[in-house]
Amino acid sequence: MERRNLGWLLLGSLLSSSAWADSDYNLPKGVTAVSQEVYDLHMYALYICTVIGIIVFGAMFWSMFFHRKSKGVKPATFHESTKIEILWTAIPIVILVAMAIPATSTLIKMEDNSNSDITIQVTGSQWKWHYKYFDQDIEFFSVLTTPREQFDNRVGSAPKSENYLLEVDNHLVIPVNKKVRFLITSDDVIHSWWVPAFAVKQDANPGFINEAWTKVDEPGIYRGQCAELCGKDHGYMPVVVEVKTEADYAQWLEDQKALIAERKAAEQASLSASLSMDELMSLGETTYTAHCAACHQPNGEGLPPAFPALKGSAVATTGAADIHIDIVVNGIAGTGMQGYGKQLSAKEIAAVVTYERNAWGNNTGDAVQAADVAALKGLGGASAAGDASEAVSDAVAKVEEQAAPAEDLSKQYTMDEMMAMGEEVYNKSCIACHQAGGAGMPPAFPSLIKSPYITGDVNAHIEMVVKGSAKNPAMQGFLGVLTKTQIAAVVTYERNAWGNDSGDLVQPADVDAVSGK
């Protein structure tokens, strides 16, 4: 009897909601009504699954123990029973319906964005969030502020802070007891805006707008992050939402508007100012470290091909300063280079361009001023982003082509020569994404083994390597990074390695013909 009571006591403690709720392995409770419903739904399903598991496994072990052959038990001879088959079909249906009804109710509530008090547009970029408050003329970027010394994993790196990788410079601020609607999209690749305490997790897709909402009853700071593998710095894209009382929120709005006015005045004043080279280099280094070093590296050597080197590059040395400025202001469409025209002031852009053109031995002597940036800001951005980005891309390609040594496009190579060169180029420029064996990391980086591009038209394969893919921004164009001979070699290698064995031998003239289309 005591043993049986102990068993029921252990079972009761296992099923205790408080015991499970306090577990670090359980789904955390949120701070909104919907998140509480999600938690309750999770626990409801967990209880049902636990009971099913206890009954099924209990019956199995009881049958195996008490009906074992050593006890002389003889198995029944029947192999089918209409009643049993009806039961084991009907019971799961009843269980599923019992789980589906509350789940459907909760999902409908999560998708109901009607009657919102505030609307905020959330835009994901590699690797930061941009927030725009409708009807308030307030917008800003939110960027990770955890010092790089904390996550470089080198010997002697700084100790990790309490909110390691979950700290940003500008919090998204919302008021309590107000329904806030989020319009979520992306500038480049797929991101996912996730705040566990709100039970909000919505994909940010380029070219689409998804919706979500929350209504928080408790002031506080709630943290989340991008929940989609959006690139090499995916882990450095946190979300921080600060919920204020209505009075504090109203004051925050006034402070933001005053801050925007001050920034506009400071921006206007900087247009007539002329900074010395030392001042520009100092501010430029600070700006570069905060916004550029993650991709192009503190030493300017980049992470080719996605993030090309700035040290000794044609853009930062022999190219015109105007082209360099426009790249920083508007970015380059279809690449990992984002535009900073809205995020940085003209003074900061002038300083960082000056720094890039004079650091790491570039030594162009160019001192770019804020007025130079202001004069070029109309080239792209919101006014004509598409045409300008294409023009800048063409200009960059021309600068790179002029700086590159001439190559003999008429030279014919053997298969062995192209395979050897192609393997070397692949291991340097492609292996990080498509892997040593060509298996890739789908879906962002598809496999090259017997893929449609490998087995299909060779010119389409060349064009993909030359120009990149508009459908998949993760695939960058390599024409400004590799020579046409190198592109011919790597295409030959990809079409004949890992068992592809197409027999195609691509020559530099073939790449030249495709890149000139």
Side-chain angles (χ1 to χ4, degrees):
M1 179 65 71
E2 291 179 359
R3 187 174 298 173
R4 183 179 300 174
N5 290 338
L6 179 61
W8 283 111
L9 181 62
L10 290 173
L11 179 61
S13 63
L14 177 64
L15 295 177
S16 169
S17 60
S18 60
W20 281 11
D22 295 337
S23 172
D24 291 336
Y25 300 103
N26 195 19
L27 182 74
K29 289 184 178 181
V31 295
T32 66
V34 168
S35 64
Q36 184 62 56
E37 285 195 32
V38 170
Y39 175 83
D40 293 340
L41 183 64
H42 157 76
M43 296 304 298
Y44 175 62
L46 182 59
Y47 291 147
I48 290 176
C49 293
T50 302
V51 171
I52 292 173
I54 291 172
I55 293 173
V56 171
F57 284 101
M60 286 174 56
F61 289 123
W62 186 85
S63 299
M64 287 187 289
F65 183 80
F66 290 103
H67 292 172
R68 64 188 185 274
K69 184 178 180 180
S70 62
K71 295 191 70 172
V73 176
K74 294 183 179 180
T77 57
F78 73 90
H79 67 87
E80 64 182 33
S81 170
T82 302
K83 292 181 180 179
I84 291 177
E85 289 187 0
I86 291 174
L87 281 175
W88 72 36
T89 301
I91 292 175
I93 291 175
V94 171
I95 293 173
L96 289 174
V97 170
M99 296 171 70
I101 291 174
T104 302
S105 174
T106 301
L107 287 172
I108 290 174
K109 290 180 182 178
M110 293 175 72
E111 296 297 324
D112 181 13
N113 296 288
S114 61
N115 301 318
S116 59
D117 300 300
I118 299 170
T119 299
I120 300 174
Q121 179 177 313
V122 180
T123 305
S125 300
Q126 293 177 310
W127 289 270
K128 53 186 175 284
W129 296 102
H130 178 263
Y131 300 113
K132 180 179 180 180
Y133 290 68
F134 281 43
D135 303 325
Q136 293 292 343
D137 196 26
I138 294 175
E139 57 182 300
F140 54 84
F141 285 89
S142 183
V143 182
L144 175 75
T145 56
T146 298
R148 195 166 190 84
E149 293 77 18
Q150 291 185 19
F151 56 85
D152 63 4
N153 294 323
R154 298 175 185 173
V155 176
S157 58
K160 294 175 172 54
S161 59
E162 179 183 359
N163 295 309
Y164 172 67
L165 294 184
L166 295 175
E167 305 159 304
V168 297
D169 52 357
N170 295 309
H171 296 179
L172 173 64
V173 178
I174 61 175
V176 295
N177 301 320
K178 296 290 184 181
K179 186 173 184 178
V180 182
R181 176 188 180 210
F182 302 109
L183 303 179
I184 302 173
T185 186
S186 170
D187 275 340
D188 38 48
V189 299
I190 298 176
H191 301 279
S192 186
W193 197 78
W194 177 46
V195 182
F198 300 165
V200 173
K201 179 180 178 290
Q202 190 63 268
D203 281 352
N205 298 317
F208 295 89
I209 293 179
N210 288 325
E211 295 183 78
W213 69 274
T214 192
K215 184 177 180 181
V216 188
D217 301 326
E218 303 174 21
I221 295 177
Y222 305 98
R223 303 178 189 274
Q225 56 197 134
C226 177
E228 187 69 45
L229 186 59
C230 58
K232 78 172 192 67
D233 283 342
H234 154 72
Y236 305 150
M237 195 170 170
V239 176
V240 181
V241 183
E242 184 174 356
V243 182
K244 294 179 175 287
T245 64
E246 292 187 42
D248 288 343
Y249 176 72
Q251 183 60 51
W252 178 82
L253 289 178
E254 294 300 319
D255 293 342
Q256 288 299 303
K257 291 175 181 178
L259 183 60
I260 291 171
E262 289 176 9
R263 286 175 178 169
K264 287 182 178 179
E267 179 89 346
Q268 193 62 36
S270 70
L271 300 183
S272 58
S274 181
L275 300 182
S276 67
M277 177 63 82
D278 289 342
E279 291 173 320
L280 288 168
M281 290 295 287
S282 177
L283 176 58
E285 183 177 12
T286 301
T287 306
Y288 181 89
T289 301
H291 299 281
C292 314
C295 297
H296 293 289
Q297 303 301 290
N299 58 10
E301 294 183 356
L303 295 168
F307 308 108
L310 298 176
K311 179 180 179 180
S313 73
V315 171
T317 55
T318 60
D322 289 354
I323 292 176
H324 194 166
I325 294 169
D326 198 60
I327 291 173
V328 177
V329 170
N330 300 310
I332 302 178
T335 74
M337 180 60 200
Q338 308 298 321
Y340 284 83
K342 291 185 178 180
Q343 187 174 354
L344 301 177
S345 67
K347 180 180 177 180
E348 290 172 320
I349 292 174
V352 79
V353 171
T354 300
Y355 178 75
E356 291 173 354
R357 297 180 74 81
N358 292 279
W360 320 300
N362 287 344
N363 301 333
T364 64
D366 296 333
V368 180
Q369 301 295 338
D372 302 324
V373 177
L376 286 169
K377 266 195 171 183
L379 278 175
S383 58
D387 294 339
S389 295
E390 186 175 350
V392 170
S393 299
D394 293 342
V396 171
K398 289 178 181 178
V399 170
E400 296 283 1
E401 189 174 346
Q402 291 169 1
E407 56 179 324
D408 185 1
L409 299 178
S410 63
K411 184 176 180 179
Q412 296 291 306
Y413 293 84
T414 66
M415 177 64 81
D416 289 343
E417 288 174 326
M418 293 307 264
M419 286 296 287
M421 187 192 307
E423 183 176 14
E424 182 180 348
V425 174
Y426 183 88
N427 288 337
K428 180 180 179 181
S429 302
C430 313
I431 196 172
C433 298
H434 293 290
Q435 304 299 292
M441 294 186 289
F445 308 110
S447 171
L448 298 179
I449 302 173
K450 301 295 184 182
S451 75
Y453 271 98
I454 300 299
T455 58
D457 179 37
V458 66
N459 286 335
H461 189 174
I462 295 172
E463 185 173 14
M464 174 69 76
V465 178
V466 167
K467 300 179 180 179
S469 172
K471 294 181 179 179
N472 181 7
M475 178 60 196
Q476 312 297 327
F478 283 78
L479 185 58
V481 179
L482 303 176
T483 66
K484 293 175 181 178
T485 301
Q486 290 173 320
I487 292 175
V490 80
V491 171
T492 299
Y493 177 75
E494 291 174 353
R495 296 182 77 83
N496 292 280
W498 320 302
N500 288 337
D501 302 330
S502 70
D504 295 328
L505 174 58
V506 181
Q507 299 292 347
D510 301 323
V511 177
D512 186 56
V514 172
S515 61
K517 289 182 179 179

